[in-house]
Amino acid sequence: MSINSCTDDYRVLSIQSHVVSGYVGNKSAVFPLQVLGFEVDAINSVQFSTHTGYEHWKGQVLDSRDLLTVFDGLVKNDLHKQYTHILTGYAKNESFLESVLEVVNTVKQANPGAIYLCDPVMGDNGQMYVPQELLPVYKDKIILIADILTPNQFEAELLTGIKINNDSDAIQAIDALHDLGIPTVVISSSNLSQNSSHMVAIGSSRANGHKERIKLSFPKLNATFTGTGDLFAALFLAWFTKTNKDLKTTCENVISTLQAILKSTYDYAVQQPGGAKSVKNTELRLIQSRAQLESPQNNIKAIELV
């Protein structure tokens, strides 16, 4: 495995949510990508005061016209031709999501080598938190043009119709997604660990002309965090590129980084009024974690699956 440190020509178009205060969506993805050497251009699918876990939040949901107006300004200046990567996450509006397809296809026509990572943000723990109408758009259109897909366990079940109760089910679901033409699929978090204090990530890639499957187990913390899936997707896109599509090292770097940031956030939260139960206290401490972003300690190891 070699690390590609030359990221001068890497530019990501990131389309996902924005919050004024806190870290989810683009606020969770842009800074880590920049720290790792990637230029990032961000388009926001929604603009909220905070994420919706707060007692009060306000903001706007962008639609298809909003997205295409902004993107058309990029196209008219030929700026869409510079994107080497596309990252998409949370969208709340069906028409907006439909137009993401047009944006990705336009970028890929201009630069056929552009890598598209789709984080199909729909829900978690058995509950959808976007309109049901978004599922068929993801399932029948968006994911079919993805190079990398990073669903959580619940989202993988929605996309495949396969109930995931064990590792075998997870691999079956991943293979079903491979069969749709998606080269790299990672279930970013699942409750498949035999130890209830841990979670599991399972990934599979056919991106380098050979099959690679890995599994990682990592500890839970006694708190609820937001923006972790968005951070996972951004870190995966960066490290998969920097390691020349080495799935094992990428996942180790990503999970190790995430765990370090969550531990730092938790340690901070428990010292504040309200402790780790406070939504405000558990906002990811990304700025304070720059060292961990740049140089993961890689203390969580993946095992290879056959």
Side-chain angles (χ1 to χ4, degrees):
M1 185 278 300
S2 61
I3 299 293
N4 181 1
S5 60
C6 182
T7 56
D8 291 347
D9 296 326
Y10 293 149
R11 184 176 289 269
V12 181
L13 177 63
S14 180
I15 307 174
Q16 48 190 317
S17 62
H18 171 77
V19 291
V20 175
S21 180
Y23 292 95
V24 298
N26 274 326
K27 284 284 290 290
S28 189
V30 172
F31 178 71
L33 282 165
Q34 291 172 329
V35 167
L36 290 170
F38 291 71
E39 292 281 358
V40 187
D41 293 347
I43 298 178
N44 302 323
S45 59
V46 303
Q47 178 170 277
F48 292 160
S49 53
T50 63
H51 68 72
T52 57
Y54 281 79
E55 183 178 1
H56 306 286
W57 54 274
K58 301 282 186 178
Q60 300 82 36
V61 177
L62 281 71
D63 62 17
S64 173
R65 182 177 59 182
D66 298 320
L67 172 58
L68 293 180
T69 296
V70 171
F71 185 65
D72 187 55
L74 297 172
V75 171
K76 281 184 164 53
N77 289 296
D78 280 340
L79 296 174
H80 67 298
K81 296 178 180 179
Q82 66 188 344
Y83 295 121
T84 56
H85 299 76
I86 311 158
L87 172 63
T88 65
Y90 181 89
K92 193 174 178 62
N93 181 285
E94 182 182 2
S95 73
F96 186 97
L97 189 59
E98 290 271 8
S99 293
V100 166
L101 186 73
E102 181 178 339
V103 169
V104 175
N105 280 329
T106 300
V107 171
K108 279 183 165 282
Q109 287 168 7
N111 182 4
I115 301 298
Y116 172 36
L117 188 154
C118 172
D119 184 14
V121 180
M122 291 182 286
D124 202 359
N125 297 316
Q127 183 176 359
M128 288 190 73
Y129 42 66
V130 299
Q132 292 276 350
E133 293 77 18
L134 268 63
L135 175 57
V137 181
Y138 274 117
K139 188 174 181 180
D140 300 332
K141 298 178 181 180
I142 298 292
I143 69 171
L144 301 182
I145 59 171
D147 300 289
I148 305 168
L149 192 68
T150 58
N152 59 34
Q153 179 179 348
F154 176 61
E155 291 159 348
E157 292 175 338
L158 289 175
L159 293 171
T160 63
I162 297 170
K163 183 64 177 176
I164 299 173
N165 295 309
N166 51 48
D167 290 0
S168 179
D169 294 339
I171 291 170
Q172 182 184 358
I174 287 172
D175 283 346
L177 293 166
H178 278 320
D179 290 343
L180 295 176
I182 308 167
T184 301
V185 180
V186 182
I187 297 178
S188 58
S189 63
S190 74
N191 294 312
L192 299 180
S193 175
Q194 295 180 352
N195 185 340
S196 61
S197 66
H198 282 64
M199 300 189 76
V200 167
I202 296 180
S204 175
S205 181
R206 301 174 179 178
N208 271 338
H210 67 277
K211 295 180 181 179
E212 186 181 5
R213 283 180 178 160
I214 58 90
K215 172 182 175 181
L216 302 92
S217 177
F218 50 95
K220 297 179 184 178
L221 289 171
N222 187 28
T224 299
F225 303 95
T226 55
T228 54
D230 309 319
L231 177 57
F232 181 100
L235 291 173
F236 190 94
L237 185 63
W239 283 111
F240 202 55
T241 301
K242 290 166 73 70
T243 63
N244 192 27
K245 302 179 180 178
D246 182 315
L247 181 66
K248 182 176 184 293
T249 303
T250 294
C251 287
E252 289 174 345
N253 285 347
V254 170
I255 297 295
S256 295
T257 303
L258 267 167
Q259 286 295 296
I261 293 171
L262 292 182
K263 181 65 164 54
S264 174
T265 302
Y266 181 81
D267 289 346
Y268 169 82
V270 296
Q271 298 176 30
Q272 307 307 309
K277 299 296 183 183
S278 165
V279 175
K280 181 174 66 174
N281 292 344
T282 54
E283 291 283 7
L284 299 178
R285 288 175 64 78
L286 289 183
I287 306 304
Q288 298 83 358
S289 302
R290 178 167 182 165
Q292 291 92 334
L293 288 166
E294 288 182 307
S295 303
Q297 293 303 302
N298 210 333
N299 51 10
I300 295 179
K301 299 299 183 181
I303 60 172
E304 296 186 18
L305 302 176
V306 294

